[in-house]
Each structure stands twice: as C-alpha cells, then as structure tokens.
Amino acid sequence: MYEHRFEFRIAKMCQALNVSRSGYYAYIKRPESNRRVENRKLLDTIRDIHIKSHRIYGSPQITKNLPPDQKASRGRVARLMQANGIRSKVVKKYKATTNSNHNLPVADNLLNQNFETSKPCEKWLSNITYIPTDEGWLYLAGVLDLHGRTLVGWAMDSRMKTELVSSALKQAMGRTGASKGLIVHSDRGVQYASKKYQRLLKKHEFVCSMSRKGNCYDNAPMESFWGKLKMEWLNEHRFKTRMPIDQYDPNLHLIIRPVINLCSIC
C-alpha cells in the first residue's frame, strides 16, 4: 500500500484489502524491526557479491562468500534473492561438439581423472567449445596444461575440422617446447581420433589418452575452463560476425584473446 500511495487513495486501498486506516498509519510509523534492518543490509551484501561474480553465483556460492559478521543460512539468502529478482545467469544456447560415432581407433583413458602434475608439460587436456554469433557457430579449440591450469594453445574457426584441434596443439607446442612422453588427453571425437591428428601426436612422441564415452568428468578441468570463459566473460557479448581462421574479426579478436589470457591466470 505504501509503495502505491501516489497511485491510489489510502482509504480505497484499505477498503479493498479489508484493513483499517489507523492500522495502516500505525504500521508505517512503527520503527523497523531488527530482522528487517539485517535483511536490508544482507541484501546489499548479496547484490555486491553477485555483481563481483559477474552475476554467476547462485545462493550456495553467495552464502559461502558472505563476510563473517553477516553469516546466514542458504535458505534465507535464497529467499532474499528470489524476492528481489537476483539469479545466476546461464548460457542459453547449446551445441554438441563431440561426434564419437565413427570407426576410427580410440585410445585408452590413461589419465583416468588423475589431474595432479609435478611439472609443466606433463599432462595436457584438449577440447572444443563454441561461441554463438549472428553468422552461426564459431568453434574454439584449446589445450590446457594441468600444471597451473593454463591455456597454452588455442585456435578458432568457423568449421569444426581436424585442422582446428591440430592448430591448437601446434600453437601449444610452439609456445612451450613440450617434449616426448607428454600425455595429451581429449574426448573421443572424430577430430581427435583422425589419422592426421594421431600422426601429429606420434611425430612428437606424445602419449594419447581419451575419455570414456559420454563421460565429461574425464576432462573436467577443461570443461571448467570453458565454463568460466563463456559464463563469466562472453555470455553478455553479442558478436555480429564469425571469424574465419585466416581473418580475425576485430570484435572477437579484441575480446576473446585477452579474456583467454585472463582465464588462464585466474
């Protein structure tokens, strides 16, 4: 009623809601309760944490990141968020990037979810993700060094071909000088199982490892990196054009390259 007092007469609203005018005026003059004051301050903190997380955090993460003097239950945080329209943003589009329906040889899962390393260039993960543009999907292949969780190689193209993952691997080799014995893990998609990609691995005496069919946890750090890149940095951008491999679109080039560098050190 108080919020609509300039739109409708108080007497009419009281009559419609079956409350007395004296009760209404007594209520608005009553001092705020301690609980209401605490909720207002907590809401300000929730908004601040939500914005700093690039609007990614939902109630569980926000609850974990509350300061010690404002600790609250997850249910209380969730109620305040829901009442004030605060919610985690999500990636709206989905595009499958793994085609494992082929007759090419598939490597064993040598990594077996052991993501610990003792030195750089010991274990690499590789995967393909996608970025929506007004012209269609743009595919981004990356190579992640598990030592430091740093993206050491990447390539973009309008097509999801073997050359895409090969270019990302070649860039990673050029930047790091990786030597034989390195484990390169990927899904069992046709690009990674192709003869051309496998020849590249054998030429440099790298060891090929592949995830089990349909098991995203076998490549979890790479999936996590893509999630950070897209949800925290690219989700609010709209790209008009799709970048061919030999001609960078200025918007994509200027946004994606520094964003990958930022994600690599976060």
Coordinates of all heavy atoms in Angstrom, one line a residue, residues 145-175:
D145 N 47.3 -26.9 -20.0 CA 48.3 -27.6 -19.2 C 47.8 -27.7 -17.8 O 47.5 -26.8 -17.1 CB 49.6 -26.8 -19.2 CG 50.8 -27.6 -18.7 OD1 50.6 -28.5 -17.8 OD2 52.0 -27.2 -19.0
L146 N 47.7 -29.0 -17.3 CA 47.2 -29.2 -16.0 C 48.1 -28.6 -14.9 O 47.6 -28.4 -13.8 CB 47.0 -30.7 -15.7 CG 45.7 -31.3 -16.3 CD1 45.7 -32.8 -16.2 CD2 44.5 -30.7 -15.6
H147 N 49.3 -28.4 -15.2 CA 50.2 -27.8 -14.2 C 50.0 -26.3 -14.3 O 50.5 -25.5 -15.1 CB 51.7 -28.1 -14.6 CG 52.6 -27.7 -13.5 ND1 52.8 -28.4 -12.3 CD2 53.4 -26.6 -13.4 CE1 53.7 -27.8 -11.6 NE2 54.1 -26.7 -12.2
G148 N 49.2 -25.7 -13.4 CA 48.9 -24.3 -13.4 C 47.5 -24.0 -14.0 O 47.1 -22.9 -14.0
R149 N 46.9 -25.1 -14.6 CA 45.6 -24.9 -15.3 C 45.6 -23.7 -16.3 O 44.8 -22.9 -16.3 CB 44.5 -24.8 -14.3 CG 44.4 -25.9 -13.2 CD 44.0 -27.2 -13.8 NE 44.2 -28.3 -12.9 CZ 43.1 -28.8 -12.2 NH1 41.9 -28.3 -12.3 NH2 43.3 -29.8 -11.4
T150 N 46.7 -23.7 -17.1 CA 46.9 -22.6 -18.0 C 46.6 -23.0 -19.5 O 47.1 -24.1 -19.9 CB 48.3 -22.0 -18.0 OG1 48.6 -21.6 -16.6 CG2 48.5 -20.8 -18.9
L151 N 45.9 -22.2 -20.2 CA 45.7 -22.5 -21.6 C 46.9 -22.2 -22.4 O 47.3 -21.0 -22.5 CB 44.5 -21.7 -22.2 CG 43.8 -22.3 -23.4 CD1 43.0 -23.5 -23.1 CD2 42.9 -21.3 -24.1
V152 N 47.6 -23.2 -23.0 CA 48.9 -23.0 -23.6 C 48.7 -22.9 -25.2 O 49.7 -22.5 -25.9 CB 49.9 -24.1 -23.2 CG1 50.3 -23.9 -21.8 CG2 49.3 -25.5 -23.5
G153 N 47.6 -23.3 -25.7 CA 47.4 -23.2 -27.1 C 45.9 -23.2 -27.4 O 45.1 -23.7 -26.7
W154 N 45.6 -22.4 -28.5 CA 44.1 -22.3 -28.9 C 44.0 -21.9 -30.3 O 45.0 -21.3 -30.9 CB 43.4 -21.3 -28.0 CG 43.9 -19.9 -28.0 CD1 45.0 -19.5 -27.3 CD2 43.4 -18.8 -28.6 NE1 45.2 -18.1 -27.5 CE2 44.2 -17.7 -28.3 CE3 42.2 -18.6 -29.4 CZ2 43.9 -16.4 -28.8 CZ3 42.0 -17.3 -29.9 CH2 42.8 -16.2 -29.6
A155 N 42.9 -22.2 -30.9 CA 42.6 -21.9 -32.3 C 41.1 -21.7 -32.5 O 40.3 -22.4 -31.8 CB 43.2 -22.9 -33.3
M156 N 40.7 -20.9 -33.5 CA 39.3 -20.6 -33.8 C 39.0 -20.8 -35.2 O 39.9 -20.5 -36.1 CB 38.9 -19.2 -33.3 CG 38.9 -19.0 -31.8 SD 38.2 -17.4 -31.4 CE 39.5 -16.3 -31.9
D157 N 37.8 -21.3 -35.6 CA 37.5 -21.5 -37.0 C 35.9 -21.6 -37.1 O 35.3 -21.8 -36.1 CB 38.1 -22.8 -37.5 CG 38.1 -22.8 -39.0 OD1 37.5 -21.9 -39.6 OD2 38.8 -23.7 -39.6
S158 N 35.5 -21.4 -38.3 CA 34.0 -21.4 -38.5 C 33.6 -22.9 -38.7 O 32.4 -23.2 -38.8 CB 33.6 -20.6 -39.7 OG 34.3 -21.0 -40.9
R159 N 34.6 -23.8 -38.8 CA 34.2 -25.2 -39.0 C 35.0 -26.0 -38.0 O 36.1 -25.7 -37.5 CB 34.7 -25.7 -40.4 CG 33.9 -25.0 -41.5 CD 34.3 -25.6 -42.9 NE 35.7 -25.4 -43.1 CZ 36.4 -26.0 -44.1 NH1 35.8 -26.8 -44.9 NH2 37.7 -25.7 -44.3
M160 N 34.4 -27.2 -37.6 CA 34.9 -28.0 -36.5 C 35.6 -29.2 -37.2 O 35.2 -30.3 -37.1 CB 33.8 -28.5 -35.6 CG 34.2 -29.1 -34.3 SD 32.8 -29.3 -33.1 CE 31.6 -30.1 -34.1
K161 N 36.8 -28.9 -37.8 CA 37.5 -29.9 -38.5 C 38.8 -30.3 -37.7 O 39.2 -29.7 -36.7 CB 37.9 -29.4 -39.9 CG 36.7 -29.0 -40.8 CD 35.9 -30.3 -41.1 CE 34.8 -29.9 -42.1 NZ 34.0 -31.1 -42.5
T162 N 39.5 -31.3 -38.3 CA 40.7 -31.8 -37.6 C 41.8 -30.7 -37.6 O 42.5 -30.6 -36.6 CB 41.3 -33.0 -38.4 OG1 40.3 -34.0 -38.4 CG2 42.6 -33.5 -37.8
E163 N 41.8 -29.8 -38.6 CA 42.8 -28.7 -38.6 C 42.6 -27.8 -37.4 O 43.6 -27.2 -36.9 CB 42.6 -27.9 -39.9 CG 43.7 -26.8 -40.1 CD 45.1 -27.4 -40.1 OE1 45.3 -28.5 -40.7 OE2 46.0 -26.7 -39.7
L164 N 41.4 -27.7 -36.9 CA 41.2 -26.8 -35.7 C 41.9 -27.3 -34.5 O 42.7 -26.5 -33.9 CB 39.7 -26.7 -35.4 CG 39.2 -26.0 -34.2 CD1 39.5 -24.5 -34.3 CD2 37.7 -26.2 -33.9
V165 N 41.8 -28.6 -34.2 CA 42.5 -29.1 -33.0 C 44.0 -29.3 -33.2 O 44.8 -29.1 -32.3 CB 41.8 -30.5 -32.6 CG1 40.4 -30.3 -32.1 CG2 41.9 -31.5 -33.7
S166 N 44.4 -29.5 -34.5 CA 45.8 -29.6 -34.8 C 46.5 -28.2 -34.6 O 47.6 -28.2 -34.1 CB 46.0 -30.1 -36.3 OG 45.4 -31.4 -36.4
S167 N 45.8 -27.2 -35.1 CA 46.3 -25.8 -34.9 C 46.5 -25.4 -33.5 O 47.5 -24.8 -33.1 CB 45.4 -24.8 -35.6 OG 45.4 -25.0 -37.0
A168 N 45.6 -25.8 -32.6 CA 45.7 -25.5 -31.2 C 46.9 -26.3 -30.6 O 47.6 -25.7 -29.8 CB 44.4 -25.9 -30.5
L169 N 47.0 -27.5 -31.0 CA 48.1 -28.3 -30.5 C 49.5 -27.8 -30.9 O 50.4 -27.7 -30.2 CB 48.0 -29.8 -30.9 CG 49.0 -30.8 -30.4 CD1 49.0 -30.8 -28.9 CD2 48.8 -32.2 -31.0
K170 N 49.6 -27.4 -32.2 CA 50.8 -26.9 -32.7 C 51.2 -25.6 -32.0 O 52.4 -25.3 -31.8 CB 50.7 -26.6 -34.2 CG 50.6 -27.9 -35.1 CD 50.4 -27.6 -36.5 CE 50.3 -28.8 -37.4 NZ 49.9 -28.5 -38.8
Q171 N 50.2 -24.7 -31.8 CA 50.5 -23.5 -31.0 C 51.0 -23.8 -29.6 O 52.0 -23.2 -29.2 CB 49.2 -22.6 -30.9 CG 49.5 -21.2 -30.3 CD 48.3 -20.4 -30.0 OE1 47.8 -20.4 -28.9 NE2 47.8 -19.7 -31.0
A172 N 50.4 -24.8 -29.0 CA 50.9 -25.2 -27.6 C 52.3 -25.7 -27.7 O 53.1 -25.3 -26.8 CB 49.9 -26.2 -27.1
M173 N 52.6 -26.5 -28.7 CA 54.0 -27.0 -28.8 C 55.0 -25.8 -29.0 O 56.1 -25.8 -28.5 CB 54.1 -28.0 -29.9 CG 53.4 -29.3 -29.6 SD 53.6 -30.6 -30.9 CE 52.8 -29.8 -32.3
G174 N 54.6 -24.9 -29.9 CA 55.5 -23.8 -30.2 C 55.7 -22.9 -29.0 O 56.8 -22.3 -28.8
R175 N 54.7 -22.7 -28.2 CA 54.8 -21.8 -27.0 C 55.6 -22.5 -25.8 O 56.1 -21.7 -25.0 CB 53.4 -21.4 -26.6 CG 52.7 -20.5 -27.6 CD 51.3 -20.1 -27.1 NE 51.4 -19.3 -25.9 CZ 50.3 -18.9 -25.2 NH1 49.1 -19.3 -25.5 NH2 50.5 -18.2 -24.1

